[in-house]
């Protein structure tokens, strides 16, 4: 059985990975899991849930792929809703970090729980647990040296 040339195989694999991510991503974005949050707002709450000491605005911009202006507006909306607060940076007293409030933590957990159920449904309808482990391993290898 003839094998595909490496360039063709790499490009077809990339296209399959890209299409899968975009198709499943759209399905998850369009789900009812988000409630009163946009997916970007949830992304900020999620990032802050992983940073108990808080996170700087620049770090959130890089994580969420937003400009400084876009992140400032998003953070302003979350502050207005009392989901996040600004606090002094423990590493640099001149700077501030953003942290979740109790309400932000509660909303993150509520929305995150619904989102986790949606992700499980999408990922397990075609893949077995062994295949999920293999896919996770391969995706982590793809970005390990980036």
């Amino acid at each position: 059985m003839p094998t595909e040339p490496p360039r063709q195989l790499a490009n077809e694999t990339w296209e399959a990975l890209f299409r899968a991510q975009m198709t499943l991503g759209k399905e998850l974005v369009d789900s009812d899991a988000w409630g009163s949050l946009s997916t970007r707002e949830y992304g900020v709450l999620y990032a802050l849930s992983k940073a108990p000491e808080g996170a700087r605005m620049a770090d959130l911009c890089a994580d969420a792929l937003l400009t400084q202006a876009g992140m400032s507006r998003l953070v302003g909306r979350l502050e207005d809703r009392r989901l996040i607060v600004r606090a002094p940076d423990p590493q640099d007293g001149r700077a501030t970090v953003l942290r979740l409030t109790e309400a932000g933590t509660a909303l993150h957990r509520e929305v995150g729980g619904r989102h986790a159920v949606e992700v499980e449904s999408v990922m397990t309808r075609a893949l077995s647990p062994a295949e999920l482990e293999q896919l996770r391993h391969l995706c982590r290898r793809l970005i390990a040296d980036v």
Side-chain angles (χ1 to χ4, degrees):
M1 170 197 268
T3 61
E4 296 177 71
R7 182 174 296 155
Q8 180 181 349
L9 178 59
N11 280 274
E12 288 177 3
T13 302
W14 163 247
E15 182 179 348
L17 179 63
F18 180 76
R19 286 183 181 277
Q21 192 276 330
M22 294 302 291
T23 301
L24 299 179
K26 182 177 181 342
E27 184 176 342
L28 291 168
V29 165
D30 292 345
S31 82
D32 294 332
W34 309 109
S36 65
L37 291 173
S38 71
T39 55
R40 290 196 187 258
E41 289 169 336
Y42 175 76
V44 169
L45 297 185
Y46 178 81
L48 292 175
S49 76
K50 301 293 183 195
E53 295 296 316
R56 290 184 178 198
M57 185 89 71
D59 297 329
L60 292 176
C61 288
D63 187 63
L65 304 176
L66 284 174
T67 63
Q68 182 75 29
M71 182 58 72
S72 292
R73 287 189 297 274
L74 191 152
V75 162
R77 289 192 304 270
L78 294 172
E79 283 180 307
D80 289 347
R81 293 175 65 186
R82 293 177 168 55
L83 299 174
I84 63 174
V85 294
R86 294 177 194 262
D89 185 337
Q91 306 299 319
D92 180 354
R94 301 167 295 168
T96 61
V97 294
L98 300 165
R99 291 191 181 138
L100 289 176
T101 62
E102 286 186 33
T105 299
L107 187 57
H108 164 260
R109 286 184 180 145
E110 176 189 329
V111 172
R114 290 193 305 262
H115 178 57
V117 169
E118 294 283 339
V119 169
E120 178 187 17
S121 174
V122 165
M123 296 299 290
T124 61
R125 71 176 170 226
L127 299 176
S128 70
E131 289 169 324
L132 288 171
E133 287 179 13
Q134 182 179 26
L135 180 59
R136 179 181 62 193
H137 173 74
L138 293 171
C139 289
R140 287 178 176 169
R141 279 187 52 201
L142 281 171
I143 61 173
D145 294 329
V146 178

